[in-house]
């Protein structure tokens, strides 16, 4: 089974800290085009799933171009399942206003959610201040399968309390 994993795409980011407005516009278009090329690659190589492990976008207000391009890529490729785990920069705006959420768009929640793909499972959880200290002790995996665990954040030895963007390696 072929799977693509990506994260921190930050599509539609302003990018004006180090780029001129025109350079930022060009770079944003390049990133969106690269997302489309990734999906084309998945089609060409019969990839079964694309895991987007956080920060697909960078802000609450997403341009119609960025939102519609990603939505159309998902909708136009029903043979690929897209597993989307929101990160600390993502907001609900990608899904807001959609009349239909494509069946091949699989979402994660604030509790563990597992998707079964035969002998492979994809399990993930969206971290927040309320679950970050308890999720590690509630993860259940099937020892008979290949288990993929999806999180979004920064790895640290110990996360401490209420640090949703920190993934505790010790825990």
């Amino acid at each position: 089974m072929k799977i693509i994993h990506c994260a921190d795409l930050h599509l539609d980011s302003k990018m004006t800290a180090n780029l001129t407005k025109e350079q930022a516009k060009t770079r944003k278009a390049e990133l969106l085009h690269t997302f489309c090329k990734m999906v084309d690659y998945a089609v060409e190589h019969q990839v079964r799933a694309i895991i987007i492990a956080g920060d697909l976008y960078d802000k609450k207000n997403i341009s119609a171009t960025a939102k519609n391009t990603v939505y159309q890529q998902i909708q136009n490729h029903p043979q690929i399942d897209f597993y989307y785990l929101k990160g600390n920069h993502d907001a609900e705006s990608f899904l807001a206003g959609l009349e239909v959420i494509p069946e091949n768009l699989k979402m994660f929640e604030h509790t563990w959610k597992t998707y079964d793909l035969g002998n492979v499972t994809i399990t993930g959880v969206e971290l927040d201040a309320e679950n970050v200290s308890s999720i590690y002790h509630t993860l259940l995996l099937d020892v008979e399968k290949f288990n993929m665990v999806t999180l979004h954040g920064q790895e640290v030895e110990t996360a401490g309390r209420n640090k949703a963007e920190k993934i505790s390696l010790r825990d």
Side-chain angles (χ1 to χ4, degrees), residues 86-152:
K86 289 183 287 204
N88 56 312
H89 288 110
D90 288 309
E92 300 295 330
S93 54
F94 172 55
L95 300 175
L98 294 180
E99 292 182 22
V100 176
I101 295 178
E103 287 185 32
N104 61 327
L105 177 58
K106 313 297 184 184
M107 303 291 295
F108 294 94
E109 302 168 355
H110 295 280
T111 57
W112 291 109
K113 184 163 181 109
T114 299
Y115 293 97
D116 193 338
L117 292 111
N119 67 337
V120 174
T121 65
I122 299 174
T123 300
V125 64
E126 293 175 355
L127 301 176
D128 62 30
E130 294 174 15
N131 71 6
V132 72
S133 61
S134 64
I135 58 153
Y136 305 105
H137 309 292
T138 60
L139 175 62
L140 299 174
L141 300 172
D142 185 341
V143 297
E144 301 295 321
K145 298 192 177 204
F146 294 100
N147 296 287
M148 300 179 71
V149 177
T150 305
L151 299 168
H152 178 81

Side-chain angles (χ1 to χ4, degrees), residues 14-16 19-28:
K14 288 184 181 181
M15 289 189 244
T16 54
L19 302 174
T20 66
K21 193 173 184 177
E22 195 59 38
Q23 289 171 324
K25 182 179 177 183
T26 300
R27 184 66 181 134
K28 285 175 18 174

Side-chain angles (χ1 to χ4, degrees), residues 64-79:
T65 299
K67 181 178 180 175
N68 292 335
T69 299
V70 171
Y71 178 76
Q72 288 169 355
Q73 288 294 315
I74 295 169
Q75 189 175 38
N76 292 343
H77 297 93
Q79 74 277 24

